[in-house]
Amino acid sequence: MGSTRDPDRRDRILDAASAVFAEKGFAGARVDDIADRAGVNKAMLYYHVGDKTALYSAVLLRNFERVRVALDEALATGGSARARLEAVITALTRMVQRHPDHPRMMLREIASGATSLEPEVLAAMLEVVGVVRALIAEGTAAGEFRAIDPVLTHLTLVGAVVFLNATAPIRNRAAALGPGFSLPEPTTDIARFIKEMLLDGLAADRKPGGS
Amino acid sequence: MGSTRDPDRRDRILDAASAVFAEKGFAGARVDDIADRAGVNKAMLYYHVGDKTALYSAVLLRNFERVRVALDEALATGGSARARLEAVITALTRMVQRHPDHPRMMLREIASGATSLEPEVLAAMLEVVGVVRALIAEGTAAGEFRAIDPVLTHLTLVGAVVFLNATAPIRNRAAALGPGFSLPEPTTDIARFIKEMLLDGLAADRKPGGS
DNA sequence: TTCCTAACTAACTGGTTGGTTAAACCAACC
DNA sequence: GGTTGGTTTAACCAACCAGTTAGTTAGGAA
């Protein structure tokens, strides 16, 4: 039976937890803080979701599901592998900007070696990785992309999207320190940059033989 | 005056702190744990370095200095901007693999928005960024690189190096879960991949008109 | 009305943790 | 052999924090 008082209390709890975990990390997050932001008594977190680790896993699972849905939509646009890859980059960029909590949490997970990531969450992540990997492999097979490692390519892509967006606060702080460093880019600019960079490379003259 | 017993006790403390901060993050790190790993009494940390935040900043400052030196060496090899950029990528990759603590700490800093990064540390970081940024700008001016945002390019580059290396543990865990996912790459492979990817792009056919 | 159960709360607990302190130690110099 | 001053230690403490618990509220069923 759902709550008689507030049916989506669990969602509000997960929202608050996502924000706090992203901001402070697992160890830095205070359960009382999460409860306060969610506007509920702390014991309710334990009643509705579970302990701190269960809360953490629940947040990651929900957030990965969001990404998976967004990627499925991007792939559904059809077209060439390149066109779909561009759609994926756009979707990822929009996702990262609309729900910045998720990449922030994952950055910390990567830093810690994902030692505490539950198998369930790991599986959700691999599902997302698989989508992009398959797309790149398909593009390579179709002759659209160079023969290139699909997993490393996927990581470079995600790394670029996450880095360019997640470093925005640090760049703003840098801009405040010294002049001529600021880079307040609009959403579309970052996505466009990544597409150009990854697809066409940095070199002005492309060497065809340079496998 | 330095310690009469052990002149590099401070270095040993910083080494231990670096390892623990990288593994657990600032909030997750236990001062007692750092002291144990350094093989000293906890009070020695406060005597030689300072409190937990001072310890953290001292570690980052030392680690950034290492990166700066490595980049200076890479730039000193001379040659075209492209050649020097390749040297930089090699140096960064080697650096990340030899001292993985630093990128792990910085990943967490990026995740938290660098709100707790002291100005002194921020300046050390900007110095490193400036080196690569200048090199890219020079290459663009010389016609070697396309006209492209140097800071975003730098971030993409660093993001790729860090991501491809820092995700190794998570990929190994993934490989243990499902078959056909593993990617145990040797050092040089990752550096070569990044060079090809960033310089020549992903596309099999480069479109010259693509801005 | 009475009883039952899910939802909720305030207050507490037991363990942890960053930081301190007073005393001890030790090498050098007089 | 005594003194000085940097170095080291064990023990301690106050604050903090995840998790629990005893008890309350409200709505629906009998």
Side-chain angles (χ1 to χ4, degrees):
Chain A
M1 291 138 244
S3 161
T4 55
R5 315 279 173 80
D6 190 345
D8 49 10
R9 180 140 293 192
R10 189 186 144 100
D11 274 338
R12 282 232 308 275
I13 292 174
L14 291 189
D15 286 341
S18 184
V20 176
F21 281 136
E23 181 67 32
K24 309 286 185 80
F26 180 81
R30 302 292 158 233
V31 177
D32 291 274
D33 190 14
I34 294 173
D36 285 349
R37 288 212 210 183
V40 303
N41 186 283
K42 178 169 63 159
M44 295 313 297
L45 304 190
Y46 292 87
Y47 180 80
H48 282 292
V49 187
D51 64 9
K52 198 181 180 185
T53 62
L55 204 49
Y56 188 76
S57 292
V59 168
L60 279 184
L61 275 181
R62 191 194 59 165
N63 291 355
F64 264 123
E65 177 62 16
R66 281 182 184 154
V67 176
R68 201 190 55 75
V69 169
L71 285 193
D72 280 351
E73 286 176 9
L75 289 180
T77 58
S80 66
R82 180 184 171 122
R84 270 173 293 155
L85 188 61
E86 290 192 9
V88 162
I89 292 174
T90 302
L92 277 182
T93 304
R94 197 177 309 155
M95 204 66 200
V96 164
Q97 294 184 343
R98 194 171 347 221
H99 300 290
D101 292 349
H102 186 57
R104 294 173 78 185
M105 289 177 72
M106 287 310 296
L107 278 178
R108 294 181 199 271
E109 279 301 325
I110 291 170
S112 70
T115 49
S116 59
L117 219 55
E118 285 184 16
E120 204 179 356
V121 178
L122 197 58
M125 186 195 75
L126 290 184
E127 202 178 351
V128 169
V129 173
V131 167
V132 177
R133 184 174 58 144
L135 178 59
I136 292 167
E138 180 197 330
T140 299
E144 285 189 78
F145 302 150
R146 294 192 291 123
I148 199 164
D149 186 300
V151 174
L152 291 190
T153 305
H154 167 263
L155 287 175
T156 305
L157 191 160
V158 173
V161 173
V162 169
F163 246 63
L164 294 194
N165 285 284
T167 53
I170 215 173
R171 293 204 308 275
N172 285 337
R173 268 199 72 188
L177 236 84
F181 194 85
S182 161
L183 268 192
E185 321 82 5
T187 307
T188 53
D189 280 2
I190 287 188
R192 180 148 39 98
F193 174 86
I194 294 173
K195 290 169 191 169
E196 290 177 5
M197 186 74 176
L198 292 193
L199 288 169
D200 296 330
L202 181 57
D205 270 335
R206 172 83 184 286
K207 293 172 189 65
S211 167
Chain B
M1 277 150 249
S3 161
T4 55
R5 314 281 174 80
D6 190 347
D8 49 10
R9 179 141 293 191
R10 189 186 144 100
D11 274 338
R12 282 232 306 275
I13 291 173
L14 291 188
D15 286 342
S18 183
V20 175
F21 281 136
E23 182 65 33
K24 309 286 183 80
F26 181 81
R30 302 291 159 234
V31 176
D32 292 275
D33 190 13
I34 294 174
D36 285 349
R37 287 210 210 184
V40 302
N41 186 282
K42 179 169 63 160
M44 295 310 299
L45 306 190
Y46 292 87
Y47 180 79
H48 282 291
V49 187
D51 64 9
K52 197 181 180 185
T53 61
L55 205 50
Y56 188 77
S57 292
V59 167
L60 279 183
L61 275 180
R62 190 194 60 165
N63 291 354
F64 264 123
E65 177 62 16
R66 282 182 184 154
V67 175
R68 202 190 55 74
V69 169
L71 285 192
D72 280 352
E73 286 177 9
L75 289 180
T77 59
S80 66
R82 179 181 173 125
R84 270 173 293 155
L85 188 61
E86 291 192 8
V88 162
I89 292 174
T90 302
L92 277 181
T93 304
R94 197 177 309 154
M95 205 65 201
V96 164
Q97 294 184 344
R98 200 182 330 234
H99 301 290
D101 293 348
H102 185 56
R104 294 174 79 186
M105 289 177 71
M106 287 310 297
L107 277 178
R108 295 181 200 271
E109 278 302 324
I110 291 170
S112 70
T115 49
S116 58
L117 219 53
E118 285 183 17
E120 203 180 356
V121 178
L122 198 59
M125 186 195 75
L126 291 183
E127 202 178 351
V128 169
V129 173
V131 167
V132 177
R133 184 173 58 143
L135 178 58
I136 292 168
E138 180 197 330
T140 300
E144 286 188 76
F145 301 150
R146 294 191 291 123
I148 198 163
D149 187 300
V151 173
L152 291 189
T153 305
H154 168 263
L155 287 174
T156 305
L157 190 160
V158 172
V161 173
V162 169
F163 246 63
L164 294 193
N165 286 284
T167 53
I170 214 174
R171 295 203 307 275
N172 285 337
R173 268 200 72 188
L177 237 84
F181 194 85
S182 160
L183 268 192
E185 321 83 3
T187 307
T188 53
D189 280 2
I190 287 188
R192 179 147 39 97
F193 174 87
I194 294 173
K195 290 171 191 169
E196 289 176 5
M197 186 74 176
L198 293 194
L199 288 168
D200 297 330
L202 181 57
D205 270 336
R206 171 79 186 287
K207 294 173 187 65
S211 172

